[in-house]
Amino acid sequence: MTTTVITNISSLVTNDPALGEGPLGLIEDAALVLDGETVAWAGPAAQAPAADQAVDAAGRAVIPGFVDSHSHLVFAGDRTAEFNARMSGQPYKAGGIRTTVAATRAATDAELSANVARYMWEAMRQGTTTFETKSGYGLTVEDEARALRIAAEHTDEVTYLGAHIVSPDYADDPAGYVKLVTGEMLDACAPYARWVDVFCEKGAFDGDQARAILKAGIAKGLQARVHANQLSYGPGVQLAVELDAASADHCTHLTNADIDALAQGNTVATLLPGAEFSTRAEWPDARRLLDVGVTVALSTDCNPGSSFTSSMPFCIALAVRDMLMTPDEAVWAATAGGAAALRRTDVGRLGVGARADLVVLDAPSHVHLAYRPGVPLVAEVWRKGARTV
């Protein structure tokens, strides 16, 4: 394999405290050596070993590629009218999902796959190198299975979300739909998925239904994650911790007991500020979580209804401005935090042995991601040791 040294890096975020300063493992005047698809060395530029080829970062900052651990990219259609109404004063309701369900069912496989590719490329241009995405806009056995099959063509991080809402076909029989989700639909979907998820919320699935759905997925070999406590207080967060789910996502409405559970468990709190921005909802209290030692991730929640953004830099800026995170905390949450939410150790960092996923910023420091919101600072993106952007 060809080795590459990237030198003249103004500041390098490794997320490895053994390599540099603080939780970010920050190294000033740094270099990074790639050996094929992996990181072989990171440290001060003056100590960099020789390599087959050299790349000059020209005094720019380098960070790990973003890890977006929560998105909904297998969909068709558009919900501009819903967004416009919401911005005109109408409240957000989960039922808008049904609009996307109808459009997704009507779309061809090719159209859905092209949409996934389009939004993943859009995200990669903004620094995202690891993607999770879900089903949830089909809500029939056939449509959920094809959504996951299509998602699996684009990413290894695929989540079965047949329990997004009760299918309109089962509006009068939610128990029957839970039986379908935990039975025939799960059997058809499990071969394509790594994760099982459920929207545990008023208007979707209650705690008992969510527990049954997650346990059925776990029994099939899937790992759990939960849409929890987005629109109201509820059992989702504590259920996620009880079942050792990798993440509880949204975490907008939390009691002290919810926070205690997260602090004592292994479940990551994944915060999705794009959803609050797009629905004018209350911001999650990231400061409250971080101050008691909860592991926090940031993700886009890219979906056509409540958070139609693929930009992790935008979410970082929101987290710093409106969720009271420091720039260091937000960058860590968007990289290493996302990796933790996917229970991955090979991404979200730039230590030895990590996958060589990195972002070169057109700025001298990672702090500029929050300092210069809305500015396209991503100059280069490398994935598995190859420059892709």
Side-chain angles (χ1 to χ4, degrees):
M1 294 186 189
T2 300
T3 58
T4 301
V5 59
I6 303 174
T7 191
N8 196 14
I9 299 171
S10 60
S11 64
L12 173 65
V13 172
T14 67
N15 286 336
D16 185 344
L19 293 176
E21 181 182 351
L24 293 185
L26 191 66
I27 307 171
E28 304 290 347
D29 190 14
L32 189 67
V33 177
L34 315 181
D35 186 355
E37 297 185 355
T38 61
V39 175
W41 184 90
Q47 301 173 19
D52 298 324
Q53 59 186 18
V55 174
D56 186 349
R60 296 176 294 189
V62 171
I63 65 173
F66 297 125
V67 180
D68 192 345
S69 62
H70 184 126
S71 72
H72 303 250
L73 302 183
V74 188
F75 70 88
D78 179 281
R79 283 157 67 182
T80 304
E82 176 189 320
F83 176 80
N84 192 36
R86 193 163 62 240
M87 293 301 104
S88 301
Q90 298 180 24
Y92 171 64
K93 297 180 181 178
I97 293 168
R98 293 178 180 86
T99 304
T100 302
V101 169
T104 303
R105 288 179 179 180
T108 66
D109 288 12
E111 288 169 337
L112 293 177
S113 184
N115 272 350
V116 175
R118 170 190 173 189
Y119 294 121
M120 284 191 172
W121 175 241
E122 182 180 276
M124 187 174 290
R125 293 202 312 267
Q126 298 172 88
T128 299
T129 52
T130 301
F131 311 81
E132 180 272 355
T133 201
K134 312 175 191 297
S135 65
Y137 292 127
L139 309 187
T140 68
V141 173
E142 179 181 356
D143 286 306
E144 285 295 295
R146 77 163 178 150
L148 293 172
R149 173 175 49 78
I150 289 166
E153 294 170 357
H154 298 274
T155 180
D156 294 332
E157 298 294 349
V158 178
T159 300
Y160 168 49
L161 184 59
H164 201 176
I165 59 167
V166 174
S167 169
D169 308 318
Y170 284 79
D172 298 324
D173 185 18
Y177 187 65
V178 171
K179 182 177 180 181
L180 181 70
V181 167
T182 57
E184 182 184 356
M185 187 183 288
L186 174 60
D187 292 340
C189 291
Y192 302 108
R194 182 184 178 203
W195 305 96
V196 59
D197 198 347
V198 60
F199 189 12
C200 185
E201 185 61 71
K202 293 176 182 176
F205 298 90
D206 65 25
D208 291 338
Q209 292 169 326
R211 180 181 285 103
I213 290 163
L214 294 171
K215 283 189 170 182
I218 292 167
K220 275 285 185 179
L222 304 181
Q223 299 180 64
R225 49 200 326 105
V226 184
H227 280 61
N229 301 52
Q230 177 188 4
L231 306 178
S232 61
Y233 295 98
V237 164
Q238 294 192 52
L239 176 61
V241 175
E242 172 194 328
L243 297 181
D244 193 33
S247 65
D249 297 12
H250 288 290
C251 294
T252 308
H253 299 277
L254 300 180
T255 64
N256 288 336
D258 294 331
I259 293 174
D260 288 345
L262 287 166
Q264 294 168 18
N266 299 314
T267 299
V268 174
T270 300
L271 307 183
L272 310 168
E276 279 69 42
F277 177 88
S278 296
T279 61
R280 287 181 174 161
E282 177 183 342
W283 297 99
D285 192 343
R287 186 80 267 136
R288 190 176 169 203
L289 292 164
L290 290 163
D291 286 349
V292 296
V294 175
T295 300
V296 170
L298 285 176
S299 289
T300 63
D301 191 19
C302 186
N303 75 83
S306 60
S307 183
F308 204 4
T309 179
S310 58
S311 175
M312 290 290 275
F314 175 63
C315 291
I316 287 170
L318 290 179
V320 172
R321 169 61 178 83
D322 292 305
M323 288 164 36
L324 305 183
M325 298 178 78
T326 68
D328 284 11
E329 289 168 340
V331 169
W332 190 96
T335 52
L342 294 174
R343 294 192 167 160
R344 298 274 295 268
T345 58
D346 60 325
V347 296
R349 65 184 182 92
L350 289 174
V352 174
R355 197 169 80 182
D357 292 357
L358 58 104
V359 177
V360 180
L361 299 176
D362 192 12
S365 167
H366 63 280
V367 177
H368 281 235
L369 289 164
Y371 178 44
R372 303 197 68 207
V375 177
L377 295 179
V378 174
E380 298 179 14
V381 180
W382 295 58
R383 189 171 187 270
K384 294 185 178 180
R387 182 175 171 178
T388 58
V389 176

